[in-house]
Amino acid sequence: MRYFIHLSYRGTAYRGWQTQAVGASVQSTLEAVLTQRLQQPVFVVGSGRTDAGVHAQQQYAHFNLDIPIDFSESLIYSINCILPEDIAIHGIFPVRANDHVRFSAISRYYQYHISRQKNAFCNGLTYHFRPELDMERMNEACRILLKYTDFKSFSKAKADVTHFHCRLEFAYWVRSEPDRLTFHIKANRFLWGMVRTIVGTMLEIGQERMSLAQFEQIILARDRTVAGRAAPANGLYLVEVAYPPNVTAHWPEY
């Protein structure tokens, strides 16, 4: 039987989603707790590999079991009691054998949060960035971004991919509070480090340290060395992983 896990986590204490040789990861922590509670080895696959320090409001993972198990509310509660406070499982449910959290997904949606004022309750959850930003110029850059599909300039150099094409559905900035800006971006796939590098480059545009023409040339260059530095991980959130109706038809509501 294959099961999907719907979970969320605060990434501050972890070296990212994927199991690492040194340091705790979300994947290894989840596997250890499920193995302990279910009394059999459990290996999980994630819908995406969030970097160290990146958070997930919605993440999916799957695992296989030889014997069917009823993941009742009480069983899930007991698993959550063993998990650290910064990882929460919202549901575990059976799916078809060929449903895959990564390859069946059709889109991912990220947000990046910037606070211009220090906030004692948001430490590690937003990027505290004091300089004034021209949000209209940053949204003009977003409109340029949407014209393209090749984002090699925003991918980490050692990305293990066969191509650098991503279909963006939207990209825009909003001022959600007087002192907070949020970047929204959704695509069918993302490259390693792509969102943080786009944000870091747009901060240059927002400070008028880079022109819109220069930004477009960065995209066309297909060269990571010409883009801005990546924004810190603590402001980035995976907020939605979407699947087609034939996958979600019998999913429970959470």
Coordinates of all heavy atoms in Angstrom, one line a residue, residues 3-8 14 26-40 42 44 63 65 69-93:
Y3 N 1.0 5.4 0.8 CA 0.3 6.4 1.6 C 0.9 7.7 1.3 O 2.1 7.9 1.2 CB 0.4 6.1 3.1 CG -0.3 4.8 3.5 CD1 0.3 3.6 3.4 CD2 -1.7 4.8 3.9 CE1 -0.3 2.4 3.7 CE2 -2.3 3.6 4.2 CZ -1.6 2.4 4.2 OH -2.3 1.3 4.5
F4 N 0.1 8.8 1.2 CA 0.5 10.1 1.1 C 0.4 10.7 2.5 O -0.5 10.5 3.3 CB -0.4 11.0 0.2 CG 0.1 11.0 -1.2 CD1 0.8 9.9 -1.8 CD2 -0.1 12.1 -2.0 CE1 1.2 9.9 -3.1 CE2 0.3 12.2 -3.3 CZ 1.0 11.1 -3.9
I5 N 1.4 11.6 2.9 CA 1.4 12.3 4.1 C 1.2 13.8 3.8 O 2.0 14.3 2.9 CB 2.7 12.2 4.9 CG1 3.1 10.8 5.1 CG2 2.6 12.9 6.3 CD1 4.6 10.6 5.6
H6 N 0.3 14.5 4.4 CA 0.1 15.9 4.3 C 0.7 16.5 5.5 O 0.3 16.2 6.7 CB -1.4 16.3 4.2 CG -1.6 17.7 4.1 ND1 -2.8 18.3 4.6 CD2 -0.9 18.8 3.8 CE1 -2.8 19.6 4.5 NE2 -1.6 19.9 4.0
L7 N 1.8 17.3 5.4 CA 2.5 17.9 6.6 C 2.9 19.3 6.4 O 2.9 19.8 5.2 CB 3.7 17.0 6.9 CG 4.9 17.0 6.0 CD1 6.2 16.8 6.7 CD2 4.8 16.1 4.8
S8 N 3.4 19.9 7.4 CA 4.0 21.2 7.4 C 5.1 21.3 8.4 O 5.2 20.4 9.3 CB 3.0 22.3 7.8 OG 2.4 22.1 9.0
Y14 N 16.6 22.6 10.6 CA 16.9 21.5 9.7 C 17.8 21.8 8.6 O 17.8 23.0 8.1 CB 15.6 20.8 9.2 CG 14.7 20.3 10.3 CD1 13.7 21.1 10.7 CD2 15.0 19.1 10.9 CE1 12.9 20.7 11.8 CE2 14.2 18.7 12.0 CZ 13.1 19.5 12.4 OH 12.3 19.1 13.5
V26 N 14.3 17.1 7.6 CA 12.9 16.8 7.8 C 12.6 15.4 7.5 O 11.9 14.6 8.2 CB 12.0 17.8 7.0 CG1 10.5 17.4 7.2 CG2 12.3 19.2 7.4
Q27 N 13.2 14.9 6.3 CA 13.0 13.6 5.9 C 13.5 12.5 6.9 O 12.7 11.6 7.2 CB 13.7 13.4 4.5 CG 13.6 12.0 3.9 CD 14.4 11.8 2.7 OE1 15.4 12.4 2.5 NE2 13.9 11.0 1.8
S28 N 14.7 12.7 7.4 CA 15.2 11.7 8.3 C 14.5 11.7 9.6 O 14.3 10.6 10.2 CB 16.7 11.9 8.6 OG 16.9 13.2 9.1
T29 N 14.0 12.9 10.1 CA 13.2 13.0 11.3 C 11.9 12.3 11.2 O 11.5 11.5 12.0 CB 13.0 14.4 11.7 OG1 14.3 15.1 11.9 CG2 12.2 14.6 13.0
L30 N 11.3 12.5 10.0 CA 10.0 11.9 9.8 C 10.1 10.4 9.7 O 9.3 9.6 10.2 CB 9.4 12.4 8.5 CG 7.9 12.2 8.1 CD1 7.0 12.8 9.2 CD2 7.6 12.9 6.8
E31 N 11.1 9.9 9.0 CA 11.3 8.4 8.8 C 11.6 7.8 10.2 O 11.0 6.7 10.4 CB 12.5 8.2 7.9 CG 12.2 8.5 6.4 CD 13.4 8.3 5.5 OE1 14.6 8.3 6.0 OE2 13.2 8.2 4.3
A32 N 12.4 8.4 11.0 CA 12.7 7.8 12.3 C 11.4 7.7 13.2 O 11.2 6.7 13.8 CB 13.7 8.7 13.0
V33 N 10.6 8.7 13.2 CA 9.4 8.7 14.0 C 8.4 7.7 13.5 O 7.8 6.9 14.2 CB 8.8 10.1 14.1 CG1 7.4 10.0 14.7 CG2 9.7 11.0 14.9
L34 N 8.2 7.6 12.2 CA 7.2 6.7 11.6 C 7.7 5.2 11.8 O 6.9 4.3 12.1 CB 7.0 6.9 10.1 CG 6.2 8.2 9.7 CD1 6.3 8.5 8.2 CD2 4.8 8.1 10.1
T35 N 9.0 5.0 11.7 CA 9.6 3.7 11.9 C 9.3 3.3 13.4 O 9.0 2.1 13.6 CB 11.1 3.7 11.6 OG1 11.2 3.9 10.1 CG2 11.7 2.4 11.9
Q36 N 9.6 4.2 14.3 CA 9.4 3.9 15.7 C 7.9 3.6 16.0 O 7.6 2.6 16.7 CB 9.8 5.1 16.5 CG 9.5 5.0 18.0 CD 9.8 6.3 18.8 OE1 10.6 7.2 18.3 NE2 9.3 6.4 20.0
R37 N 7.0 4.4 15.5 CA 5.6 4.3 15.8 C 4.9 3.1 15.1 O 4.1 2.4 15.7 CB 4.8 5.5 15.4 CG 3.3 5.5 15.8 CD 3.1 5.4 17.3 NE 1.7 5.2 17.7 CZ 1.1 4.1 17.7 NH1 1.7 3.0 17.4 NH2 -0.2 4.1 18.1
L38 N 5.3 2.8 13.9 CA 4.7 1.7 13.1 C 5.4 0.4 13.3 O 5.0 -0.6 12.8 CB 4.6 2.1 11.6 CG 3.8 3.4 11.3 CD1 3.9 3.6 9.8 CD2 2.4 3.3 11.8
Q39 N 6.6 0.4 14.0 CA 7.3 -0.8 14.2 C 7.7 -1.6 13.0 O 7.7 -2.8 12.9 CB 6.5 -1.7 15.2 CG 6.3 -1.2 16.6 CD 7.6 -1.0 17.3 OE1 8.3 -2.0 17.6 NE2 8.0 0.2 17.6
Q40 N 8.1 -0.8 11.9 CA 8.6 -1.4 10.7 C 9.3 -0.3 9.9 O 9.0 0.9 10.1 CB 7.5 -2.0 9.8 CG 6.4 -1.1 9.5 CD 5.3 -1.8 8.6 OE1 5.6 -2.3 7.5 NE2 4.1 -1.8 9.2
V42 N 10.3 2.6 7.6 CA 9.6 3.5 6.7 C 10.5 4.4 6.0 O 11.4 5.1 6.7 CB 8.5 4.3 7.5 CG1 7.8 5.3 6.6 CG2 7.5 3.3 8.2
V44 N 10.5 7.6 3.3 CA 9.6 8.6 2.7 C 10.2 9.3 1.5 O 11.5 9.5 1.5 CB 9.1 9.6 3.7 CG1 8.3 8.9 4.8 CG2 10.2 10.5 4.2
F63 N 5.0 7.1 1.3 CA 5.8 5.9 1.7 C 5.0 4.6 1.4 O 3.7 4.7 1.2 CB 6.2 6.0 3.2 CG 5.0 6.0 4.1 CD1 4.5 4.8 4.7 CD2 4.4 7.2 4.5 CE1 3.4 4.8 5.6 CE2 3.3 7.2 5.3 CZ 2.8 6.0 5.9
L65 N 3.9 0.6 2.5 CA 3.9 -0.5 3.6 C 3.4 -1.8 3.0 O 2.5 -1.8 2.1 CB 2.9 0.0 4.7 CG 3.3 1.2 5.5 CD1 2.2 1.6 6.5 CD2 4.7 0.9 6.3
I69 N -2.6 -0.2 6.9 CA -2.9 0.3 8.2 C -3.9 1.4 8.2 O -3.9 2.2 7.2 CB -1.5 0.9 8.8 CG1 -0.6 -0.2 9.1 CG2 -1.8 1.7 10.1 CD1 0.8 0.3 9.7
D70 N -4.8 1.4 9.2 CA -5.8 2.5 9.3 C -5.2 3.7 10.0 O -5.0 3.6 11.2 CB -7.1 2.0 10.0 CG -8.1 3.0 10.2 OD1 -8.0 4.1 9.5 OD2 -9.0 2.9 11.0
F71 N -4.9 4.7 9.3 CA -4.3 5.9 10.0 C -5.4 6.8 10.5 O -5.8 7.8 10.0 CB -3.4 6.7 9.0 CG -2.1 6.0 8.7 CD1 -1.9 5.1 7.7 CD2 -1.0 6.2 9.6 CE1 -0.7 4.5 7.4 CE2 0.2 5.5 9.4 CZ 0.4 4.7 8.3
S72 N -5.9 6.3 11.7 CA -7.0 7.0 12.3 C -6.5 8.3 12.9 O -5.3 8.6 13.0 CB -7.6 6.1 13.4 OG -6.6 5.9 14.4
E73 N -7.4 9.2 13.3 CA -7.1 10.4 14.0 C -6.2 10.2 15.2 O -5.3 10.9 15.5 CB -8.3 11.2 14.3 CG -8.1 12.6 14.9 CD -9.3 13.4 15.2 OE1 -10.4 13.0 14.6 OE2 -9.3 14.3 16.0
S74 N -6.5 9.2 16.0 CA -5.8 8.9 17.2 C -4.4 8.4 16.9 O -3.4 8.8 17.6 CB -6.5 7.9 18.1 OG -6.6 6.6 17.4
L75 N -4.2 7.7 15.8 CA -2.8 7.2 15.4 C -2.0 8.4 14.9 O -0.8 8.5 15.3 CB -2.9 6.1 14.3 CG -1.6 5.6 13.8 CD1 -0.7 5.1 14.9 CD2 -1.9 4.5 12.7
I76 N -2.6 9.3 14.1 CA -1.9 10.4 13.7 C -1.5 11.3 14.8 O -0.4 11.9 14.9 CB -2.7 11.2 12.6 CG1 -2.8 10.3 11.3 CG2 -2.1 12.5 12.3 CD1 -3.8 10.9 10.3
Y77 N -2.4 11.5 15.8 CA -2.2 12.3 17.0 C -0.9 11.7 17.7 O -0.1 12.5 18.2 CB -3.4 12.3 17.9 CG -3.1 13.0 19.2 CD1 -3.1 14.4 19.3 CD2 -2.9 12.2 20.4 CE1 -2.9 15.0 20.5 CE2 -2.7 12.8 21.6 CZ -2.7 14.2 21.7 OH -2.4 14.8 22.9
S78 N -0.9 10.4 17.9 CA 0.2 9.8 18.6 C 1.6 10.0 17.8 O 2.6 10.2 18.5 CB 0.0 8.3 18.8 OG 0.1 7.6 17.6
I79 N 1.5 10.0 16.5 CA 2.7 10.2 15.7 C 3.2 11.7 15.9 O 4.4 12.0 16.1 CB 2.5 10.0 14.2 CG1 2.2 8.5 14.0 CG2 3.7 10.4 13.4 CD1 1.8 8.1 12.6
N80 N 2.2 12.6 15.9 CA 2.5 14.0 16.1 C 3.1 14.3 17.5 O 3.9 15.2 17.7 CB 1.3 14.9 15.9 CG 1.1 15.3 14.5 OD1 2.0 15.6 13.8 ND2 -0.2 15.3 14.1
C81 N 2.7 13.5 18.5 CA 3.2 13.6 19.8 C 4.7 13.2 19.9 O 5.5 13.8 20.7 CB 2.5 12.8 20.8 SG 0.8 13.4 21.2
I82 N 5.1 12.3 19.0 CA 6.6 11.9 19.0 C 7.4 12.9 18.2 O 8.5 13.2 18.5 CB 6.7 10.5 18.4 CG1 5.8 9.5 19.2 CG2 8.1 10.0 18.4 CD1 5.7 8.1 18.6
L83 N 6.8 13.4 17.1 CA 7.5 14.4 16.3 C 7.9 15.7 17.0 O 7.2 16.0 18.0 CB 6.6 14.8 15.1 CG 6.5 13.8 13.9 CD1 5.4 14.2 13.0 CD2 7.9 13.7 13.2
P84 N 9.0 16.3 16.6 CA 9.3 17.6 17.2 C 8.2 18.6 17.0 O 7.4 18.5 16.1 CB 10.6 18.0 16.5 CG 11.1 16.8 15.9 CD 9.9 15.9 15.6
E85 N 8.2 19.7 17.8 CA 7.1 20.7 17.7 C 7.1 21.4 16.3 O 6.1 22.0 16.0 CB 7.3 21.7 18.8 CG 7.0 21.2 20.2 CD 5.5 20.8 20.4 OE1 4.6 21.4 19.8 OE2 5.3 19.8 21.1
D86 N 8.2 21.4 15.6 CA 8.3 22.2 14.4 C 7.9 21.3 13.1 O 8.1 21.8 12.0 CB 9.7 22.8 14.2 CG 10.8 21.8 14.4 OD1 10.6 20.6 14.5 OD2 12.0 22.3 14.6
I87 N 7.4 20.1 13.3 CA 6.9 19.3 12.2 C 5.5 18.8 12.6 O 5.3 18.3 13.7 CB 7.8 18.1 11.9 CG1 9.2 18.5 11.5 CG2 7.2 17.2 10.8 CD1 10.2 17.4 11.3
A88 N 4.5 19.0 11.7 CA 3.2 18.6 12.0 C 2.6 17.8 10.9 O 2.7 18.3 9.7 CB 2.3 19.8 12.3
I89 N 2.0 16.7 11.2 CA 1.3 15.9 10.2 C -0.2 16.2 10.3 O -0.8 16.1 11.3 CB 1.5 14.4 10.4 CG1 3.0 14.0 10.1 CG2 0.6 13.5 9.5 CD1 3.3 12.5 10.3
H90 N -0.8 16.5 9.1 CA -2.2 16.9 9.1 C -3.1 15.7 8.6 O -4.3 15.7 8.9 CB -2.4 18.1 8.2 CG -1.6 19.3 8.6 ND1 -1.7 20.0 9.7 CD2 -0.5 19.8 7.9 CE1 -0.8 20.9 9.8 NE2 0.0 20.8 8.7
G91 N -2.5 14.8 7.9 CA -3.2 13.6 7.5 C -2.3 12.6 6.8 O -1.3 12.9 6.2
I92 N -2.7 11.3 6.9 CA -2.0 10.2 6.2 C -3.1 9.4 5.5 O -4.1 9.0 6.2 CB -1.2 9.3 7.1 CG1 -0.1 10.2 7.8 CG2 -0.5 8.2 6.3 CD1 0.7 9.4 8.8
F93 N -3.1 9.2 4.2 CA -4.2 8.5 3.6 C -3.7 7.6 2.4 O -2.6 7.9 1.8 CB -5.2 9.5 3.1 CG -4.6 10.6 2.2 CD1 -4.6 10.6 0.9 CD2 -4.1 11.8 2.8 CE1 -4.0 11.6 0.1 CE2 -3.6 12.8 2.1 CZ -3.5 12.7 0.7

